[in-house]
Amino acid sequence: SYELTQPPSVSVSPGQTASITCSGDKLGDKYVCWYQQKPGQSPVLVIYQNNKRPSGIPERFSGSNSGNTATLTISGTQAMDEADFYCQAWDSSTVVFGGGTMLTVL
Amino acid sequence: EVQLVESGGGLVQSGGSLRLSCAASGFTFSNYWMHWVRQGPGKGLVWVSRISYDEITTNYADSVKGRFTISRDNGKNTLYLQMNSLRAEDTAVYYCTRLHTSSQFDSWGQGTLVTVSS
């Protein structure tokens, strides 16, 4: 079965750039989405189709996908961005999520 | 405003059954594929099942195949998940989520907690 691998945790200082990776075999051939989940809340879509932002998502969130790795980048990270982030892709008719990355802003 | 409201979770013994519901509003429910995604305590998101807008196509994760059944009632704008032969590892918050036509989950419910005691 297809797997997506994320680092368990990433730390960033306020105002700096955070990068969260998601790796999978030939992932660049697929569309990748990213979801943000804060404690006790439901996931929220922040990036779809590799690099598109839904309405209401700040411009500091961006995405890329090439080769075997997709990356979520948060520029000018704010304390409110602290959350778990999950990448997601499709493998045939099955949905696959990465294991999640805890972003700490300190 | 799109709203998805799950219900039906609770505490059940191993081997028991539960039926989850997800009431949808604020959009034309019959136009969208719908999915169930779960999240174990302190764990990540795991896809469970999906159903086409016209109820014709259903798919399941290997871990629930043969035990869970997804269905929908477009007249009632409601999605269901019948869960049988429940196991401790099925303990999780279950979310219903709408699949946008561009293949991303653009709306999520608040989730309903299922706890399976062994």
Side-chain angles (χ1 to χ4, degrees), chain B residues 28-112:
Chain B
T28 305
F29 180 70
S30 58
N31 286 352
Y32 289 85
W33 287 69
M34 297 295 295
H35 294 239
W36 288 99
V37 174
R38 70 184 182 184
Q39 186 170 35
K43 301 291 182 64
L45 302 174
V46 176
W47 177 77
V48 173
S49 181
R50 71 169 184 168
I51 186 167
S52 61
Y53 58 91
D54 56 7
E55 309 175 56
I56 291 176
T57 301
T58 59
N59 298 98
Y60 300 91
D62 288 344
S63 59
V64 307
K65 203 172 293 184
R67 299 188 299 122
F68 289 11
T69 302
I70 191 171
S71 62
R72 65 192 296 163
D73 185 333
N74 286 341
K76 294 182 178 180
N77 292 338
T78 303
L79 174 71
Y80 303 101
L81 186 67
Q82 178 67 43
M83 305 186 296
N84 299 331
S85 303
L86 282 162
R87 307 166 179 167
E89 55 264 36
D90 296 319
T91 293
V93 173
Y94 285 74
Y95 296 100
C96 76
T97 180
R98 184 182 82 164
L99 185 72
H100 189 274
T101 50
S102 300
S103 298
Q104 64 273 7
F105 298 121
D106 64 347
S107 296
W108 297 68
Q110 86 288 351
T112 187

Side-chain angles (χ1 to χ4, degrees), chain A residues 55-88:
Chain A
S55 61
I57 301 302
E59 291 184 8
R60 62 180 181 275
F61 288 87
S62 63
S64 64
N65 184 20
S66 179
N68 294 323
T69 304
T71 303
L72 172 69
T73 302
I74 309 172
S75 304
T77 307
Q78 300 182 9
M80 68 170 65
D81 299 330
E82 190 163 279
D84 293 328
F85 289 86
Y86 296 89
C87 59
Q88 175 252 307

